[in-house]
Amino acid sequence: MPVPKATQKRQVTTIIILLLLWDVGGVIIKYSVLEERDSGSFVANLAKDVRLGLGELAARGARILSKGNKQYLELEQKSGNVFLKEKLDREELCGDTDPCIVHFQVLLKNPVQFIQGELQLQDINDHAPEFLENEIVLKISESSHPGTAFPLKIAQDLDVGCNTVQNYTISTNFHFHLFTRNHSDGRKYPELVLDKELDREEQPELRLTLTALDGGSPPKTGTSQVLILVLDINDNAPEFAQQLYEVQVPENSLVGSLVITVSARDLDAGTYGELSYSFFQSSNQVIQAFELNTVTGDILLKKQLDFEEIRSYHMEIEASDGGGLSGKCTVAIEVTDVNDNAPELTVSLLISDIPENTPDTVVAIFGISDPDAGDNGKMMCSIQEHLPFLLKLTVGNFYTLVTEGALDREIKAQYNITITVTDMGTPRLKTEHNITVLVSDVNDNAPAFTQASYTLRVRENNSPALHIGTVSATDTDAGANAQVTYSLLPPADPHVPLASLVSINADNGHLFALRSLDYEALRAFEFRVGAADRGSPPLSSQALVRVLVEDDNDNAPFNAAASYQLLKATEPGLFGVWAHNGEVRTARPLSERDAARHRLLVLVKDNGEPPLSASVTLHVLLVDGFSQPHLPPPEAEAEAAAAAPADPLTVYLVVALASVSSLFLFSVLVFVAVRLCGRGGAARAGRCSVPEGPFPGHLVDVSGTGTLSHSYQYQVCLSGGTGTSEFKFLKPVVPSFLSEGTGTDSEENSNFGNHFEFN
């Protein structure tokens, strides 16, 4: 269907506006919202923040884009309000990272403008502190002096900031008090301080309750039991070979593979020198990813690592001897990136139907990303060569696909573009995205006539409404732009009554004479015809038509000249037809080996323009001497039989007896006549005769097609000694006047005589 003119203008205007790419100048809009808020909760008013009117957001096709295909925000274009698209969990999105920032972009299409945005998820106190162990066993020598500090295992809290663990308390007792200390990474941990010396003989163990409190209001708590075992004196604590172990582990390492081995020694002997390794104050992430061999100190991979999720791990390893003394070391594990993520491509805007003749048109806007790091995360973006399209980097990793110049639908109406994004890692990974661009037609080609001028010939005294010729024009455009309408243009000579002479069919270009033309009054005239398409605006072209009126008497002798041709014969080479007079002749002498029946198809045509023709089929039967020249035609016998009245049974018997007798007598006469004619023919040396009256119809079958409307009768005398014997064409025998006599002629043949009859 044709595209309305107004719609085409809007499309072109939109495309031109999209070309006006604005630089955002590094402006970032920042929003903050509490986690776990319901879907649809109000965040902010974007229109006020970017200083746009309410109608401008909708007019410019504002959209909010997030990394990948996950959308956390939605924009109401009419009001400019930004709402949460779903309930957000800060711990799920960011884990221990604080602050938790979700990046997004605001895309304004008309004209194209990118605005960077950040959404900070504020933590709420929705998790209580939790100890990894319900009971903490602490072995303390009875020789420990007051003031000695014993660090305890920390509680885990998924919240951050003030909502995480802020304080620890211990149940009331006579030997210990508790301090809350700050770890180097900002975490708080409990430290138990000895106030009064222990006496194993007096009290071999103590059981205390350790409580962790977060900073919520009201605070949430978690508890663990602390079992203190009082030990005999053990004067040497285990010592590690290194206080800090550092190791790099590729993220594609196999589960169960060895990461590193830590080693400690104890100078004591016996059970005091036997060491056991364990994690100390380790997070859930460490415990889930690694396992520690308590005897050997081997740290093994427990699950598959993911560089894009967690890039490093820090843990403390404790070595304890049999006497309850322990030593600690730190292990830092760095996860190294491997190129295991192909680049991602997200299309933000796609215009798949591009009008031709419009240069620098925006086809698509898309963003690319790769979660890998280093060269593995660096990307190249490209399309196929030799295409009239360009990729332009706009802002960040957003690209714009535009036409390099004006497209021509008549040259190519469809383009298949493959956008290839390749990273720089080893091995290189790539992502391909296919875009099909259709070039819509613009009416930029006028119809073209197949000829610059046409000459038509019309015989005078024609019938009105006669089709005298056709003009034809083609248009290389498509749809309505290619539909051609024909019309007659006003004649250059105002005295020529063109409107009363000819008319034209507007759809197919057929020209018709409206009235009978007179050669003596008007011998020739010319006019111009126009061909216009149905585009907007319409385009047109012209052609000259010259009409010549011919005198129908001038060419009468020429048109009447006929020529004859033998199209088909049962036995080729036996008969021939003279082209000028239509005489059918034998091409060679007849022989006894020739067939008795022959069928000839003769064509006659005149020299008119266009030539008219007719054909006649001649059935030739070779007979010996015309022994039965006066047999009635088969149609007369059929009419007599049909007209016979019904008789009684006796009449039938008499007729049957008479018929049998007559047939017998007739057969005897025929036999005698044949013998006599054979002897007489030999004596007369081939003398042939032509009997009077019509030839028997069952010997000859003449049928005509075309313009010949009468039956013809021919008599032929053939000479056995020459190859130029001929058929002589006699006057036509009209079936309605069978009573009239038929002229005959005969020629002698020295060898034998045959008679032929043609209808």
Side-chain angles (χ1 to χ4, degrees):
M1 295 179 61
V3 180
K5 182 176 181 181
T7 302
Q8 289 185 345
K9 288 185 176 180
R10 287 198 298 269
Q11 291 178 346
V12 174
T13 303
T14 301
I15 295 169
I16 294 176
I17 292 177
L18 281 173
L19 296 174
L20 304 178
L21 302 177
W22 291 357
D23 185 8
V24 298
V27 177
I28 300 178
I29 56 176
K30 298 182 179 181
Y31 297 133
S32 178
V33 65
L34 293 175
E35 66 168 333
E36 301 295 342
R37 293 189 64 184
D38 293 334
S39 174
S41 298
F42 174 77
V43 177
N45 186 277
L46 180 64
K48 293 181 181 179
D49 295 335
V50 298
R51 298 180 181 179
L52 294 177
L54 296 180
E56 290 187 69
L57 288 178
R60 297 183 63 181
R63 292 175 55 189
I64 293 181
L65 307 176
S66 299
K67 181 179 179 181
N69 295 323
K70 191 71 172 178
Q71 297 293 331
Y72 303 112
L73 301 174
E74 60 180 352
L75 174 64
E76 187 180 78
Q77 292 185 347
K78 293 183 179 179
S79 63
N81 292 332
V82 179
F83 300 95
L84 290 178
K85 195 168 185 180
E86 61 182 34
K87 184 182 290 186
L88 301 180
D89 187 351
R90 191 205 65 80
E91 289 75 25
E92 180 182 347
L93 292 176
C94 299
D96 295 336
T97 303
D98 188 35
C100 180
I101 304 296
V102 176
H103 297 275
F104 65 91
Q105 294 85 28
V106 178
L107 171 62
L108 302 177
K109 298 180 183 178
N110 301 317
V112 172
Q113 180 181 1
F114 286 92
I115 301 176
Q116 303 293 330
E118 294 180 356
L119 176 65
Q120 180 177 353
L121 292 180
Q122 298 180 357
D123 185 55
I124 63 174
N125 193 23
D126 55 345
H127 296 88
E130 182 179 359
F131 287 93
L132 298 180
E133 299 176 0
N134 293 327
E135 185 178 75
I136 301 174
V137 178
L138 183 62
K139 297 178 181 180
I140 301 177
S141 174
E142 60 180 342
S143 62
S144 298
H145 299 287
T148 303
F150 301 94
L152 301 178
K153 295 183 179 181
I154 64 174
Q156 303 290 331
D157 194 329
L158 297 179
D159 295 323
V160 296
C162 63
N163 292 325
T164 191
V165 176
Q166 299 294 322
N167 193 24
Y168 291 91
T169 62
I170 196 74
S171 59
T172 304
N173 65 92
F174 296 103
H175 293 278
F176 297 94
H177 71 272
L178 189 70
F179 281 127
T180 300
R181 304 291 187 182
N182 291 324
H183 205 274
S184 60
D185 59 0
R187 294 180 296 170
K188 297 182 182 297
Y189 67 93
E191 187 178 75
L192 195 63
V193 180
L194 181 64
D195 291 332
K196 181 182 177 180
E197 290 183 354
L198 300 173
D199 187 349
R200 182 180 179 279
E201 288 72 25
E202 179 182 344
Q203 189 176 7
E205 65 179 35
L206 291 84
R207 186 174 293 276
L208 306 176
T209 300
L210 178 64
T211 303
L213 299 90
D214 63 20
S217 180
K220 296 181 181 295
T221 62
T223 61
S224 177
Q225 298 296 315
V226 179
L227 177 61
I228 300 175
L229 301 177
V230 182
L231 304 177
D232 284 336
I233 295 176
N234 180 22
D235 55 353
N236 289 289
E239 294 182 359
F240 280 92
Q242 298 176 225
Q243 290 299 311
L244 177 64
Y245 290 85
E246 295 179 325
V247 64
Q248 291 183 336
V249 181
E251 63 174 327
N252 62 346
S253 298
L254 299 178
V255 175
S257 59
L258 177 65
V259 177
I260 194 173
T261 300
V262 296
S263 176
R265 67 175 184 170
D266 193 322
L267 298 178
D268 292 326
T271 58
Y272 293 147
E274 295 178 359
L275 301 181
S276 175
Y277 299 94
S278 62
F279 288 117
F280 184 78
Q281 294 185 353
S282 298
S283 64
N284 285 333
Q285 296 174 342
V286 171
I287 295 175
Q288 293 173 1
F290 303 95
E291 61 180 347
L292 176 63
N293 189 310
T294 59
V295 177
T296 63
D298 293 340
I299 299 177
L300 305 177
L301 192 61
K302 190 176 182 180
K303 74 167 189 177
Q304 187 72 48
L305 302 179
D306 189 350
F307 172 83
E308 289 73 34
E309 182 179 349
I310 300 177
R311 300 191 177 188
S312 64
Y313 296 87
H314 288 80
M315 64 191 76
E316 286 188 281
I317 306 298
E318 182 182 51
S320 302
D321 61 18
L325 299 181
S326 63
K328 299 177 181 65
C329 73
T330 301
V331 178
I333 299 176
E334 180 183 356
V335 182
T336 58
D337 183 48
V338 296
N339 196 25
D340 58 346
N341 292 282
E344 298 177 357
L345 185 149
T346 304
V347 178
S348 302
L349 175 67
L350 176 61
I351 304 175
S352 58
D353 197 342
I354 304 298
E356 63 175 334
N357 301 334
T358 306
D360 299 330
T361 303
V362 174
V363 177
I365 298 176
F366 61 91
I368 60 175
S369 61
D370 193 324
D372 292 323
D375 289 340
N376 297 333
K378 295 180 181 179
M379 297 167 289
M380 297 185 304
C381 190
S382 63
I383 60 175
Q384 311 102 295
E385 296 181 354
H386 310 300
L387 288 180
F389 297 92
L390 292 176
L391 282 177
K392 294 184 178 180
L393 180 63
T394 54
V395 59
N397 284 331
F398 280 89
Y399 284 83
T400 302
L401 178 65
V402 299
T403 58
E404 187 174 9
L407 304 180
D408 191 345
R409 190 204 63 83
E410 288 70 37
I411 296 178
K412 192 169 185 179
Q414 176 177 317
Y415 293 89
N416 293 317
I417 305 172
T418 300
I419 303 174
T420 303
V421 184
T422 307
D423 62 24
M424 305 298 294
T426 303
R428 293 193 175 187
L429 302 179
K430 68 178 181 179
T431 297
E432 293 183 347
H433 186 83
N434 296 319
I435 295 177
T436 299
V437 178
L438 302 177
V439 183
S440 58
D441 187 53
V442 174
N443 193 25
D444 56 349
N445 291 281
F449 281 94
T450 56
Q451 300 176 218
S453 62
Y454 297 82
T455 300
L456 307 179
R457 299 178 183 274
V458 182
R459 193 175 303 281
E460 67 172 337
N461 299 326
N462 60 284
S463 60
L466 175 67
H467 177 223
I468 61 176
T470 301
V471 295
S472 178
T474 58
D475 195 319
T476 56
D477 289 323
N481 297 333
Q483 296 179 3
V484 179
T485 301
Y486 301 91
S487 62
L488 296 177
L489 301 180
D493 186 359
H495 299 291
V496 177
L498 183 62
S500 62
L501 292 175
V502 294
S503 67
I504 190 170
N505 187 308
D507 296 325
N508 54 30
H510 290 348
L511 291 167
F512 300 91
L514 294 179
R515 60 183 176 85
S516 180
L517 302 178
D518 188 356
Y519 175 79
E520 288 72 18
L522 181 64
R523 298 191 176 187
F525 63 94
E526 63 182 26
F527 56 92
R528 305 191 74 84
V529 294
D533 58 30
R534 299 181 183 178
S536 179
L539 302 177
S540 62
S541 61
Q542 301 179 9
L544 178 65
V545 179
R546 183 179 296 105
V547 179
L548 302 179
V549 182
E550 296 182 346
D551 186 0
D552 57 0
N553 293 326
D554 292 344
N555 294 326
F558 177 77
N559 293 339
S563 60
Y564 301 87
Q565 180 183 357
L566 179 60
L567 294 181
K568 186 176 181 182
T570 303
E571 186 174 345
L574 181 58
F575 299 98
V577 178
W578 281 25
H580 300 294
N581 56 14
E583 292 182 353
V584 180
R585 297 173 177 266
T586 57
R588 61 175 176 79
L590 298 175
S591 66
E592 293 182 356
R593 291 189 301 272
D594 293 328
R597 294 179 180 271
H598 296 268
R599 182 176 180 271
L600 308 180
L601 180 61
V602 180
L603 174 72
V604 58
K605 63 179 180 179
D606 58 22
N607 288 330
E609 183 63 35
L612 301 178
S613 64
S615 62
V616 63
T617 301
L618 307 181
H619 294 275
V620 181
L621 176 63
L622 302 181
V623 298
D624 189 6
F626 279 104
S627 59
Q628 296 178 351
H630 298 290
L631 291 177
E635 55 270 17
E637 295 179 357
E639 291 177 0
D647 293 332
L649 180 60
T650 55
V651 176
Y652 286 106
L653 294 176
V654 173
V655 172
L657 182 59
S659 299
V660 173
S661 303
S662 300
L663 181 60
F664 175 77
L665 181 59
F666 180 78
S667 301
V668 173
L669 294 176
V670 170
F671 177 78
V672 174
V674 170
R675 296 298 300 271
L676 293 176
C677 287
R679 294 176 181 177
R684 293 189 299 271
R687 178 72 176 182
C688 70
S689 62
V690 180
E692 296 292 330
F695 291 160
H698 67 281
L699 298 180
V700 181
D701 181 15
V702 180
S703 61
T705 60
T707 59
L708 297 178
S709 60
H710 299 105
S711 298
Y712 292 84
Q713 175 178 295
Y714 307 93
Q715 178 265 332
V716 182
C717 183
L718 304 178
S719 175
T722 177
T724 59
S725 300
E726 64 181 28
F727 295 84
K728 291 186 177 178
F729 294 78
L730 305 181
K731 65 180 181 179
V733 179
V734 182
S736 60
F737 301 97
L738 293 175
S739 60
E740 296 181 9
T742 304
T744 62
D745 195 6
S746 63
E747 294 184 4
E748 293 185 356
N749 190 319
S750 59
N751 296 325
F752 61 93
N754 291 332
H755 297 269
F756 299 83
E757 182 180 349
F758 303 87
N759 283 331

